[in-house]
Amino acid sequence: MIHKICLFIAITFLLFSCKNNPDKEQNTGDSTHTAAHTDNHLKEIPSPVQGNSAMPRLFSNGADLFLSWVERKDSVATLNFSILKDEKWSTPEAVASGKDWFVNWADFPAIAESNGNILTNYLQKSANGTYTYDVKLNLYTPPSAENSDGLWKKNFLLHNDGTQSEHGFVSIRPYVDDSFLVVWLDGRETVGKDHGGGQMTLRGAIVFKDGSVQYDTLLDDSVCDCCQTSVAIGSNDEIIVAYRDRSKEELRDISIVRWQKDGGWSKPMTIGNDNWKIPGCPVNGPSIDAFENNAVVAWFTEAKGEGDVNVAFSNDNGANFGKSFRIDVGNATGRVDVAMLSEEEAAVLWMEPKGEETVIQLMKINVHGYTEPAVTIATTSPNRSTGFPQLEIVGDTAYIAWTMISEKEATIKTASIALKDF
C-alpha cells in the first residue's frame, strides 16, 4: 500500500503532512490589517478539563451545550465529556480509554445528543500500520422503564468493511426518531481487493438508539484524504454534507451532497469554484450549518496564493449557493467553524496569523456579505497541536472552545459572548 501523504502546499507556509507529529506551522508574513479588536464582553468559563488535554468538540442542541475532549496520560488516551449547566461545566465523565488509539490534532472525536441519547466516537488502531484505524462508537441511552440508570453501549464499530485502512474525520448530528446521522472519510478502496490504488471515499450511515448501524451509503468515491467533514440538518429533515472534494485534475474545492425525502442522495455539487489545484491535502475542512430552509458554509482555500476564509449562503436547503464572500483580514490559517444565527446571518470562527502568533477570530456576516468587525477571542500558538477551535450557539449566546499549548502540556479554554456584543 502506498500511503497518500497529505501536504499543505502554500506560498507562505512550510510544507507539512497531516499525519506527522504536530510540529509548528511556519509563516513568513505579518497581517497588516487592524479590523479585529479584542472584546471585553468575552467571558471565560472555567474549564472542566484536567491534565494534558486537547481536541475539544462542542455540540449544542439549542438548550444545552456539550463538550468532549481527549486527555492523555503516559500512553493512555481517555475520551471525556461535560455538560454546561448554569454557566458551569458538570463533573467530567470518562467515556472510554485505550493505549491503542490513533490520536491526531486534525482528526478528533465528535459528540452529539438526541433526546437524552448521546453518541461519541474515537479512533482505534486496527493493525500495525501507522494509518490503519477504525471508528469506534459509544452510545448512551437515558433511563427508561426497562433501564432505571441509563446504559452505555461502548466500543462498537461504525463500518463493516473489514479492511485495515484509514477511517476517520467523523461528523455526527441528531436525526429522526432519536437516531444519529454519522458521516466519515473511509479508506477501504485505498487497500481494496486489488491491493490498493483506490481513492479516499465519503460515506454516511444512520446509528439508531438501539446501537444498530444502518443505511451505510457511499456519498462520494473520491475525496480529499484528511480534511474534516461537516453536516447540517435542514427543514423537512433534509441533510447537507460539506467536505473537501478531489477531482482527477487534483482540484481540492468544497463540495456538498444532499439527501431529500423525495429524491434520495444527490450527486456532489462544488460550491465557491475556487479551482484550488493542490497535489495533497491541506488538512483544512469546511463547516456547515442550517436554519430552517437556509444554510451557510465556511471554508479555507489558497487558490489565489494566500489563505482565504470564504463564506457562502443558501436559501433553498443547499440546492443552490450564492456568491462567496472572503472575510479574513489576510493570509488566514483557516480551521473554520460556522453557526447560523437567523435566516440571514451567521457567525464564523477561524484562525489567522498576527505577527509571530496566531489569533482566533469571530465575526458576524449576513447573506449580503455585510460583516461586523472581527472579535479576537484569544491569542494562541501557530503550533498545529492547537487544533481546531469550536463554536456553538445556545439561545442568545455564542460559546467557544480552543486548545492552549504550554511548555509542559496542553489544556482547553472555554468562553462565551452574547450575540449582541459582537
Side-chain angles (χ1 to χ4, degrees):
M1 170 183 175
I2 300 175
H3 295 296
K4 296 179 179 66
I5 303 301
C6 303
L7 300 177
F8 191 141
I9 311 295
I11 290 178
T12 58
F13 290 88
L14 191 67
L15 299 179
F16 70 85
S17 164
C18 72
K19 297 169 181 174
N20 286 341
N21 291 327
D23 298 322
K24 183 177 181 180
E25 287 176 316
Q26 304 291 329
N27 66 77
T28 59
D30 295 353
S31 171
T32 59
H33 299 73
T34 57
H37 65 282
T38 301
D39 198 303
N40 57 14
H41 292 98
L42 188 72
K43 299 178 181 178
E44 184 170 349
I45 303 171
S47 172
V49 171
Q50 297 179 354
N52 184 32
S53 302
M55 293 172 283
R57 182 72 73 105
L58 287 178
F59 170 79
S60 167
N61 61 12
D64 299 310
L65 186 69
F66 295 76
L67 170 69
S68 69
W69 67 94
V70 174
E71 179 181 343
R72 301 187 72 176
K73 186 175 182 180
D74 299 325
S75 61
V76 178
T78 301
L79 175 64
N80 301 272
F81 81 95
S82 178
I83 305 173
L84 192 68
K85 301 286 187 181
D86 299 322
E87 295 301 293
K88 294 182 180 179
W89 291 108
S90 65
T91 301
E93 180 170 350
V95 178
S97 296
K99 294 184 177 181
D100 57 351
W101 291 13
F102 180 80
V103 180
N104 182 271
W105 68 281
D107 193 354
F108 43 96
I111 185 169
E113 184 270 352
S114 179
N115 293 326
N117 302 281
I118 301 172
L119 185 65
T120 69
N121 81 282
Y122 65 87
L123 306 177
Q124 184 181 49
K125 298 287 294 180
S126 60
N128 292 329
T130 305
Y131 315 122
T132 51
Y133 49 90
D134 294 329
V135 177
K136 289 295 188 74
L137 300 175
N138 298 273
L139 176 64
Y140 172 79
T141 53
S144 63
E146 298 80 17
N147 161 36
S148 60
D149 297 323
L151 289 175
W152 279 99
K153 179 180 180 180
K154 294 192 174 184
N155 309 328
F156 61 102
L157 200 59
L158 170 62
H159 43 87
N160 62 1
D161 55 288
T163 65
Q164 294 177 351
S165 63
E166 187 174 346
H167 307 80
F169 297 94
V170 174
S171 292
I172 305 174
R173 282 292 179 268
Y175 201 50
V176 297
D177 298 327
D178 299 341
S179 67
F180 297 89
L181 172 70
V182 185
V183 171
W184 72 100
L185 298 189
D186 190 296
R188 67 184 66 182
E189 299 299 330
T190 64
V191 294
K193 297 179 180 179
D194 298 322
H195 307 290
Q199 305 297 323
M200 183 66 72
T201 65
L202 178 74
R203 302 189 72 90
I206 303 294
V207 178
F208 289 90
K209 61 183 179 180
D210 63 357
S212 62
V213 181
Q214 301 182 37
Y215 304 108
D216 183 342
T217 304
L218 176 67
L219 306 181
D220 194 321
D221 62 4
S222 178
V223 302
C224 207
D225 297 71
C226 45
C227 278
Q228 296 73 24
T229 61
S230 188
V231 176
I233 309 298
S235 60
N236 300 317
D237 301 319
E238 295 187 1
I239 300 167
I240 316 173
V241 181
Y243 59 100
R244 191 174 295 281
D245 214 338
R246 180 181 182 183
S247 73
K248 293 181 180 179
E249 297 76 27
E250 296 291 9
L251 296 179
R252 307 282 181 131
D253 287 348
I254 303 305
S255 290
I256 63 154
V257 291
R258 305 167 61 236
W259 186 87
Q260 297 175 285
K261 290 181 178 179
D262 58 353
W265 284 103
S266 71
K267 294 182 179 180
M269 178 181 75
T270 300
I271 64 173
N273 296 316
D274 300 324
N275 292 315
W276 186 15
K277 188 170 185 178
I278 173 176
C281 179
V283 202
N284 227 318
S287 180
I288 189 170
D289 197 23
F291 187 99
E292 298 178 352
N293 292 323
N294 305 278
V296 62
V297 179
W299 71 93
F300 170 85
T301 181
E302 279 198 19
K304 297 178 181 178
E306 71 169 16
D308 299 350
V309 172
N310 292 335
V311 180
F313 289 87
S314 169
N315 61 8
D316 54 10
N317 274 329
N320 299 279
F321 280 84
K323 66 172 292 187
S324 61
F325 306 98
R326 181 181 179 183
I327 63 169
D328 65 282
V329 296
N331 198 23
T333 309
R335 308 189 202 177
V336 301
D337 203 356
V338 69
M340 288 287 285
L341 306 179
S342 67
E343 291 182 351
E344 293 193 342
E345 193 173 42
V348 188
L349 191 73
W350 77 95
M351 297 172 67
E352 64 185 26
K354 187 176 183 180
E356 295 183 356
E357 297 178 316
T358 293
V359 291
I360 300 172
Q361 304 283 66
L362 177 65
M363 176 186 283
K364 285 180 182 175
I365 181 173
N366 70 13
V367 295
H368 306 293
Y370 296 120
T371 65
E372 298 291 339
V375 171
T376 297
I377 298 299
T379 298
T380 185
S381 166
N383 192 309
R384 284 187 292 161
S385 56
T386 55
F388 289 70
Q390 296 284 293
L391 169 68
E392 286 289 331
I393 309 298
V394 180
D396 59 0
T397 304
Y399 292 88
I400 306 97
W402 68 97
T403 302
M404 294 294 292
I405 306 296
S406 70
E407 293 182 359
K408 294 183 179 180
E409 62 182 17
T411 191
I412 293 167
K413 300 288 188 179
T414 58
S416 67
I417 185 171
L419 298 182
K420 65 179 179 62
D421 290 332
F422 73 97

